[in-house]
Amino acid sequence: MLLKNKVVLITGSSSGIGRAIAHEALMEGASVFLHGLRAHLVTNAIEELSAEFGQERVSGLAGNIADPNFPQQLVKKCVAQFGSLHGLVNNAGISPRHNIDSASAEDFDHVMTINLRAPMLMIQAAMNSFRNLGYGSVVNIGSINAHCGQPDLLIYSTTKGGLQTLTRNLGDALGPEKIRVNQINVGWTLTENEHKLQLAEGNAENWLEKVSPLSAPSGTILRPEQVASHVIFWVSDKSAPVSGTVFEVEQYLSLIHI
C-alpha cells in the first residue's frame, strides 16, 4: 500500500475529485482528514467512508477555506485527531465564469482567495507538522487551463497559473527540508458539479455523448477516480525525491514547442 500508516489532509474532499482522492487514499492505507464548505456534506462523507474503512481512519471539519484563519484550524484539528500529518492535498477550488468584460475586482479577489491564497496558507499551516516529522508531501490540484484557459475562465485560469509558480517556488525552497511540493494539472473531468454546469449552460442531459474527440481522444472525459490515482502517487513516497514538478493529467498534448 502506497500510503500505509500515513495521515493525509484533503481540502474540498466532501464530493467530486476530492472525495475520490480520499477514497483512494484510504484504499492505499492512509488515515484521511476531510474538508468541505458544507457541514452536512462533510458529515455524510465521513459516515460513508467510515462505514467502509473504519471510524478510526476517517475524520474531518467543515469550514470556509477563504477565511485566512481557517487553514491553521483545519491542520490543528487534523493533528489533534491523528497525531501527525504526512501529506496535504490542496484540492478545494472554484471555477466561476468570467471574461475580460465581465470580471470585476471583487470577482478577482474572491477567486484568488480560494484558489491561490488558501493553498499557500494551507501549506504554511502544515509546515510545523512536516518539520516535526522531517519530511512532508504536498500535491496541489491545478488545471490544464493554467497554460492559457478558455475565454470565459479568465480569473480561474490565472489562479491556476499562479498555483504552478507557487508549486515550483516551494518545491525549490523546501527541498533541503525534504518537504516536497508537486502539482497535477487536471483536464476535463466528469463530476456532479460539472454535469450540473453543463445543464445550466443549456446542454442536453446526454451532453457527454457529444464531446468532441479533440477534447476526449479516448472517447470520454476523465473520471474522478482516474485523477485520484495520479494524486496518490504524487503524495506518496513512491514519487520521491521529485519536487516542484507540474504533471499533466490529460489525454492530449497541451503544450507544443516550436
Side-chain angles (χ1 to χ4, degrees), residues 130-187:
F130 290 161
R131 283 170 171 153
N132 286 340
L133 286 171
Y135 67 96
S137 179
V138 178
V139 177
N140 294 322
I141 306 302
S143 168
I144 215 74
N145 285 283
H147 298 303
C148 176
Q150 62 196 56
D152 62 350
L153 284 175
L154 170 63
I155 303 176
Y156 171 79
S157 302
T158 302
T159 65
K160 295 304 184 180
L163 192 63
Q164 285 190 157
T165 301
L166 176 74
T167 297
R168 288 169 171 150
N169 180 282
L170 292 179
D172 178 59
L174 301 178
E177 298 186 69
K178 295 184 174 60
I179 297 170
R180 301 187 300 117
V181 184
N182 292 294
Q183 177 163 323
I184 66 166
N185 278 345
V186 180

Side-chain angles (χ1 to χ4, degrees), residues 178-197:
K178 295 184 174 60
I179 297 170
R180 301 187 300 117
V181 184
N182 292 294
Q183 177 163 323
I184 66 166
N185 278 345
V186 180
W188 196 5
T189 305
L190 180 61
T191 63
E192 292 179 11
N193 286 338
E194 180 61 29
H195 181 65
K196 290 177 182 177
L197 177 63

Side-chain angles (χ1 to χ4, degrees), residues 206-222:
N206 66 338
W207 62 269
L208 187 60
E209 299 172 11
K210 302 176 182 180
V211 173
S212 167
L214 294 176
S215 298
S218 70
T220 188
I221 62 177
L222 295 166

Side-chain angles (χ1 to χ4, degrees), residues 40-52:
H40 71 282
L41 293 180
V42 176
T43 298
N44 289 345
I46 291 172
E47 290 176 350
E48 291 172 7
L49 292 173
S50 293
E52 185 174 355

